[in-house]
Amino acid sequence: MLDLKKQIGVLGDSILKGVVFDEIRGTYSLLAESCGNLLQKTLGINIVNRSRFGSTIDKGRKMLEVSLKRDPDLSYMLLEYGGNDCDFNWDEVSRDPDAEHLPNTPLAAFKQNLDEMIEILKQKQIRPILMSLPPICGNRYFDFIVSRGRNADNILRFLGDRQQIYRFHEMYSLAVTRLAIEKDCVYVPMREAFLAERNSLSLICSDGIHPNEKGHRLMQEVFTQMALA
């Protein structure tokens, strides 16, 4: 249970920033009725959201230092990273699929950074909140990657199959879950909530990686249930 009178900080990437893919314009935009905005409106939660589009945990580590200086009254800090960390430089993969390609943040470095961020928060008497990652759709994301002129055959050759993208993503989400348990953090089972839906793909944008408006409503429900439990 969360104390709704306390200030909650949010550090993450485009998911909690409220970014969605505008299918008509073919560009990204901010969702007015995002999860965070809905929570502030319906529950009156005091949220300081410093999430950034494209952020990896390395950028999050730097943003944590900024947030601790700018937001001295935080009682909780929600950390949401992994989606960009597990991604690859698809231009390089497209040009040379047989070369060695590492994720933006290798898994060991991701876990170490997240562990250290948790410890920093605890030292500041701020309760860490960790959230499992909403699942992606491997097929949609593959199509999105190659829709921008990249070599589909080469990228598939590197991956082995389209669903390998999903599995990369799941490894990072599982790492978050394990750390939440090991470090006694507040844990938000977001991935589990999405996967429990009969048609979970209806919650994800056509780019395969961002929750859509319906997905943000589900995210709001998960957080609300935790806050009111």
Side-chain angles (χ1 to χ4, degrees):
M1 181 176 179
L2 303 180
D3 186 342
L4 302 185
K5 297 179 181 179
K6 302 293 186 178
Q7 192 174 70
I8 301 175
V10 177
L11 291 177
D13 55 29
S14 54
I15 301 296
L16 289 184
K17 183 68 177 176
V19 172
V20 293
F21 187 69
D22 188 323
E23 299 179 18
I24 297 176
R25 297 181 180 180
T27 59
Y28 288 108
S29 62
L30 285 176
L31 181 65
E33 296 289 284
S34 66
C35 167
N37 290 344
L38 289 170
L39 286 169
Q40 291 189 92
K41 186 185 302 183
T42 59
L43 297 181
I45 298 176
N46 187 1
I47 297 174
V48 180
N49 192 344
R50 300 197 181 278
S51 299
R52 294 289 184 271
F53 185 92
S55 284
T56 61
I57 200 162
D58 286 337
K59 294 179 181 178
R61 177 72 178 271
K62 296 174 184 177
M63 184 55 67
L64 176 60
E65 297 174 6
V66 173
S67 180
L68 291 175
K69 292 178 181 178
R70 292 182 180 177
D71 314 312
D73 298 324
L74 294 178
S75 295
Y76 302 95
M77 177 68 84
L78 171 58
L79 303 175
E80 179 264 320
Y81 292 102
N84 293 306
D85 297 277
C86 72
D87 213 12
F88 290 82
N89 185 322
W90 297 114
D91 289 331
E92 292 181 359
V93 173
S94 176
R95 286 192 295 268
D96 187 1
D98 296 320
E100 181 181 12
H101 299 285
L102 297 176
N104 291 330
T105 310
L107 185 59
F110 174 78
K111 291 189 288 188
Q112 180 177 345
N113 266 315
L114 186 55
D115 192 331
E116 291 174 359
M117 290 172 75
I118 292 169
E119 288 303 316
I120 290 171
L121 289 170
K122 287 185 174 182
Q123 290 170 11
K124 297 289 185 178
Q125 305 301 310
I126 299 172
R127 187 86 189 272
I129 305 173
L130 267 58
M131 184 185 99
S132 57
L133 304 178
I136 66 172
C137 174
N139 283 326
R140 287 183 193 173
Y141 188 41
F142 181 89
D143 290 339
F144 182 76
I145 291 169
V146 303
S147 70
R148 308 201 168 187
R150 300 182 180 103
N151 189 307
D153 290 337
N154 280 355
I155 291 177
L156 188 58
R157 179 172 171 176
F158 167 73
L159 290 171
D161 66 84
R162 286 169 170 246
Q163 291 307 311
Q164 184 59 38
I165 299 175
Y166 177 94
R167 293 191 286 272
F168 280 137
H169 187 265
E170 187 161 64
M171 283 196 303
Y172 284 69
S173 185
L174 288 171
V176 171
T177 301
R178 284 195 296 270
L179 267 177
I181 296 170
E182 292 171 4
K183 309 294 286 189
D184 191 28
C185 300
V186 178
Y187 177 64
V188 184
M190 195 61 70
R191 191 180 195 89
E192 297 88 324
F194 271 71
L195 294 176
E197 293 292 307
R198 287 183 58 191
N199 185 10
S200 60
L201 295 184
S202 68
L203 306 172
I204 303 172
C205 292
S206 62
D207 68 352
I209 53 177
H210 288 92
N212 56 24
E213 185 172 2
K214 185 178 176 181
H216 273 268
R217 289 198 298 271
L218 175 61
M219 291 168 68
Q220 177 208 7
E221 292 173 9
V222 173
F223 282 116
T224 299
Q225 290 172 6
M226 290 190 62
L228 300 180

